[in-house]
Amino acid sequence: MTELVGQLLQGFEAALTVSNLLYCLLGVTLGTLIGVLPGIGPVATIAMLLPTTYGLPPLTALIMLAGIYYGAQYGGSTSAILVNLPGESSSVVTCLDGYTMARRGRAGAALGVAALGSFFAGSVATLIIAVLAAPLAALALKFGPAEYFSLMVLGLIAAIVLANGSVIKAIAMIALGLLLGLVGTDVNSGVERFSFGIPELSDGFGFVVVSMGIFGIAEIIHNLEKNEQRDIFSTRVGRLLPSRDDLRQSWKPVLRGTFLGSLLGILPGGGAILSSFASYTLEKKLAKDPSRFGQGAIEGVAGPESANNAGAQTSFIPLLTLGIPPNAVMALMVGAMMIHGIVPGPQVMTERPQLFWGLIASMWIGNALLVLLNLPLIGLWIRLLKVPYRLLYPAILLFCCVGIYSVNQSALEVAFAVGFGLLGYLFIKLDCEPAPLLLGFVLGPLMEENLRRALLLARGDALVFLSRPLSAFLLFLALLLVLVLILPNVRQTRDQAFQES
Amino acid sequence: MKIRLIRHQDFVAGLMFCTAGIATAYASSNYALGTAMRMGPGYFPLVLGLLLAGLGIMQAAHSLKLDISSDESRLIEKPCLRSLSLIGAGMLLFAFSLSTAGLLLSTLGLVVISGIAYRQFRWHELGLLSTGLAIFAVTVFVYGLGLPFQVLPA
């Protein structure tokens, strides 16, 4: 316990320097901004800003990028409540009751509860990370190549369960992503694979190129064909601080949401979106009068908003302790860490304690900044929501282009990104969700390397994955997930959950 | 029925996965396969490519079921060639003109070309937006962040 306090103090010391605080503020502000604006999410933003963090010290860079992620969860709720448009996919359920509250003149209370609930959830989740990190990292140090391979299988299968739509498509997208990740020089033999003699491809496709193409550019092309319509909520926001009655009604949902979100966030493939859905369903089930939901029930805002923030935060746990990204944003964080020469995994905690605890401490600081920032700045966000998309998207494109170009000063990489943009647009048209592909892309080389190493150590005996207990356990969990996926009633609930969005 | 199928999301997706899988499997046959104990560079991609092709066939076959293939909502919507081509063209022009034309002109080009992708665009608005963004780009990226871009044509 005292050790934990000491480590956290060390973290705060590292995070509380002036420049780290400033970048944390910058990160959460940017995050809120893009969270408020529909059509641009944290994945695209982090990908865009990755190149600008080259010059920063690693801790500062990570603090800023992490701030963007959880800032986006806060911002997403603002536009959900005020405009009935989820700025972020995880705030889809907030629209249901949040917007109804706003139409009844209670926008302030909804925003206030969302912010306070998120702050509480963020603080608890930060503590959970701090407590769980050490034992998990110790466990991870026992991992050999076989265990790592099995863990990645588990993570990828979890990603399928949580992906939207057809299961076959999700598996195929993962396979496609794994293959894309293999482009470039094979580490074991030095052979260049699938690079077609193009020198820019000898290191494979850049992460920024793939993610920005498939998410950022494809999204813009897709948004342009829909006719945008925004109903700006123009009447006054009202009192921001929730009344005593509101608090009495919402403290239990906040607690439950925090717990649920923290749990679901840790699971590979989980994170913010699932957490908010699960919390909304739970609150509706527990309510004495479920018919109030959808009619402006404050529990329907408090629960999901706490859950998505908790889930966003605890999804750092698999990344920091095992080195495995549970979702697309965390996959980007891997990219960010690699740029600074840090290989994510259990050794980060022992080798770079300052970085590790500093990042954790900064999450709490960032959450505090968000509450202070968000409540007074609501007016500014409302005005921002009025900027039409036709003025916004050329600016977003400019950032994308500059971001990709400046990674290697290469025009060809921008051209690749355009190619991935077209591919991403095709995926949207074919109703294939791109997130599993990105996860596969990041894990591809890691998975191949661990598979080869495990089989080499076992002299080609594939049973090694079952004879080592930890690895067998992970594969068993994966099998369980597959079975759950095939069960008809689970499938129905899953389909329903996604239908509601 | 036939025409429907070609426009069906799941069927086309299946075809796409299948083609990609076969192409990869074929390409990986150029690399040494090795054995399960000492895998060559071709082993993992070959297995994955075959898996992908198999999944593609499953997906395409699944879409042939009557209730799915007759579902109108799963037909592919017409692609918006206007935004597709203009956004792509704008980005390519920006990328390949940057080193010679400089950031100022390249940004003007990117914003104007991609701006036309919006159907109800207005010329005067685009003019203002592109000028503003070009000045912003030079100030922030070159002078603010110190990125090594040329500002004016060489």
Side-chain angles (χ1 to χ4, degrees):
Chain A
M1 193 61 208
T2 43
E3 197 187 355
L4 183 70
V5 173
Q7 281 161 332
L8 274 176
L9 279 180
Q10 183 191 10
F12 275 105
E13 207 177 312
L16 278 173
T17 64
V18 176
S19 76
N20 282 351
L21 267 180
L22 275 178
Y23 276 100
C24 187
L25 184 67
L26 183 69
V28 294
T29 317
L30 268 174
T32 317
L33 182 84
I34 53 117
V36 169
L37 295 173
I40 175 166
V43 177
T45 316
I46 294 178
M48 225 151 69
L49 288 174
L50 262 185
T52 63
T53 63
Y54 287 156
L56 300 175
L59 176 61
T60 314
L62 291 179
I63 285 180
M64 183 179 90
L65 296 175
I68 294 175
Y69 180 44
Y70 50 78
Q73 313 299 330
Y74 270 74
S77 60
T78 307
S79 40
I81 291 169
L82 291 177
V83 213
N84 200 18
L85 256 184
E88 232 352 86
S89 45
S90 56
S91 0
V92 173
V93 284
T94 312
C95 288
L96 301 175
D97 281 288
Y99 184 63
T100 330
M101 281 181 77
R103 269 206 321 244
R104 299 191 173 165
R106 310 229 308 131
L111 288 167
V113 159
L116 293 176
S118 296
F119 175 64
F120 175 78
S123 311
V124 173
T126 306
L127 249 163
I128 292 179
I129 300 179
V131 173
L132 277 188
L136 272 175
L139 182 72
L141 285 174
K142 295 202 181 85
F143 273 32
E147 281 79 14
Y148 266 111
F149 179 78
S150 305
L151 183 68
M152 284 185 249
V153 172
L154 174 64
L156 289 178
I157 289 187
I160 297 167
V161 180
L162 303 176
N164 192 341
S166 150
V167 174
I168 307 177
K169 275 184 187 168
I171 306 176
M173 289 295 273
I174 287 181
L176 202 60
L178 289 168
L179 282 170
L180 275 175
L182 298 183
V183 173
T185 312
D186 169 34
V187 269
N188 289 50
S189 60
V191 176
E192 268 190 29
R193 289 185 290 188
F194 313 114
S195 61
F196 309 104
I198 302 169
E200 275 85 351
L201 281 185
S202 62
D203 276 337
F205 288 112
F207 187 78
V208 180
V209 171
V210 177
S211 57
M212 229 185 286
I214 288 185
F215 285 95
I217 298 165
E219 197 64 38
I220 291 179
I221 299 175
H222 181 61
N223 281 340
L224 278 174
E225 66 182 26
K226 299 181 288 190
N227 261 336
E228 65 160 341
Q229 253 190 354
R230 278 186 218 169
D231 264 330
I232 301 291
F233 185 78
S234 48
T235 47
R236 59 190 194 87
V237 170
R239 222 164 72 99
L240 275 176
L241 280 182
S243 67
R244 190 171 293 234
D245 216 32
D246 292 333
L247 288 178
R248 199 179 45 78
Q249 274 181 313
S250 45
W251 71 272
K252 274 188 198 152
V254 166
L255 274 182
R256 284 191 288 259
T258 306
F259 175 74
L260 204 60
S262 306
L263 198 73
L264 290 171
I266 300 176
L267 295 182
I273 304 172
L274 185 78
S275 310
S276 55
F277 274 107
S279 165
Y280 192 78
T281 319
L282 181 73
E283 290 311 323
K284 208 169 161 181
K285 280 241 165 74
L286 288 177
K288 283 198 192 96
D289 177 17
S291 64
R292 276 175 52 247
F293 280 77
Q295 309 288 323
I298 198 161
E299 299 99 305
V301 177
E305 275 306 312
S306 316
N308 75 27
N309 214 43
Q313 214 113 3
T314 51
S315 59
F316 275 89
I317 292 180
L319 173 76
L320 291 173
T321 56
L322 304 169
I324 294 199
N327 58 36
V329 177
M330 290 304 121
L332 276 164
M333 293 297 284
V334 172
M337 289 168 98
M338 296 288 216
I339 286 172
H340 290 281
I342 304 160
V343 182
Q347 73 290 345
V348 174
M349 194 171 171
T350 41
E351 282 168 18
R352 319 272 302 249
Q354 279 237 317
L355 181 98
F356 184 87
W357 294 105
L359 182 60
I360 289 177
S362 85
M363 290 178 193
W364 190 81
I365 299 172
N367 272 297
L369 284 176
L370 275 168
V371 172
L372 295 179
L373 185 84
N374 241 5
L375 295 182
L377 285 187
I378 291 282
L380 181 70
W381 303 137
I382 294 178
R383 217 169 306 152
L384 204 94
L385 274 169
K386 291 181 179 160
V387 176
Y389 193 66
R390 64 173 193 278
L391 299 181
L392 218 54
Y393 81 87
I396 299 174
L397 270 181
L398 173 67
F399 274 95
C400 282
C401 287
V402 169
I404 301 164
Y405 189 92
S406 54
V407 177
N408 287 324
Q409 299 293 314
S410 157
L412 199 59
E413 300 217 318
V414 181
F416 289 150
V418 173
F420 279 109
L422 299 187
L423 191 66
Y425 182 68
L426 182 70
F427 289 153
I428 296 177
K429 285 282 167 201
L430 296 180
D431 198 23
C432 298
E433 175 149 322
L437 178 130
L438 199 66
L439 210 56
F441 174 73
V442 177
L443 292 182
L446 278 174
M447 219 171 160
E448 186 192 18
E449 211 187 311
N450 281 300
L451 173 70
R452 282 160 99 168
R453 217 184 286 158
L455 284 177
L456 188 65
L457 289 173
R459 305 188 170 276
D461 181 11
L463 284 177
V464 62
F465 296 109
L466 297 176
S467 59
R468 295 180 63 114
L470 248 175
S471 160
F473 174 68
L474 291 167
L475 285 180
F476 172 72
L477 280 182
L479 185 73
L480 216 64
L481 272 180
V482 172
L483 288 180
V484 162
L485 202 61
I486 297 170
L487 287 180
N489 53 350
V490 177
R491 273 187 78 159
Q492 262 172 19
T493 339
R494 172 174 169 272
D495 290 347
Q496 249 169 20
F498 284 116
Q499 288 284 292
E500 275 170 29
S501 67
Chain B
M1 193 64 203
K2 250 184 194 159
I3 298 168
R4 271 252 176 97
L5 208 51
I6 303 174
R7 281 187 54 211
H8 193 280
Q9 281 178 339
D10 294 354
F11 184 73
V12 178
L15 275 190
M16 174 182 79
F17 291 133
C18 187
T19 323
I22 291 173
T24 327
Y26 177 74
S28 30
S29 61
N30 291 328
Y31 310 117
L33 267 182
T35 61
M37 180 179 154
R38 280 184 194 284
M39 284 186 196
Y43 198 105
F44 196 60
L46 178 70
V47 173
L48 269 180
L50 293 178
L51 174 78
L52 188 58
L55 286 168
I57 292 170
M58 269 170 76
Q59 175 74 63
H62 184 68
S63 72
L64 293 180
K65 279 194 199 163
L66 196 66
D67 58 324
I68 297 175
S69 63
S70 55
D71 183 356
E72 290 272 347
S73 69
R74 305 200 60 85
L75 292 183
I76 300 172
E77 292 162 50
K78 232 177 123 205
C80 175
L81 290 177
R82 179 192 177 110
S83 56
L84 201 82
S85 51
L86 283 171
I87 299 262
M91 288 182 68
L92 290 178
L93 179 80
F94 176 86
F96 288 101
S97 70
L98 189 54
S99 59
T100 47
L103 185 61
L104 207 64
L105 288 181
S106 296
T107 306
L108 281 177
L110 169 69
V111 176
V112 171
I113 293 179
S114 65
I116 299 175
Y118 185 80
R119 275 171 209 287
Q120 292 96 37
F121 76 95
R122 291 168 217 153
W123 282 113
H124 66 275
E125 202 177 71
L126 264 187
L128 279 176
L129 182 68
S130 57
T131 322
L133 279 176
I135 295 169
F136 169 84
V138 169
T139 338
V140 171
F141 296 128
V142 179
Y143 298 113
L145 293 169
L147 297 177
F149 292 139
Q150 191 141 11
V151 176
L152 294 169

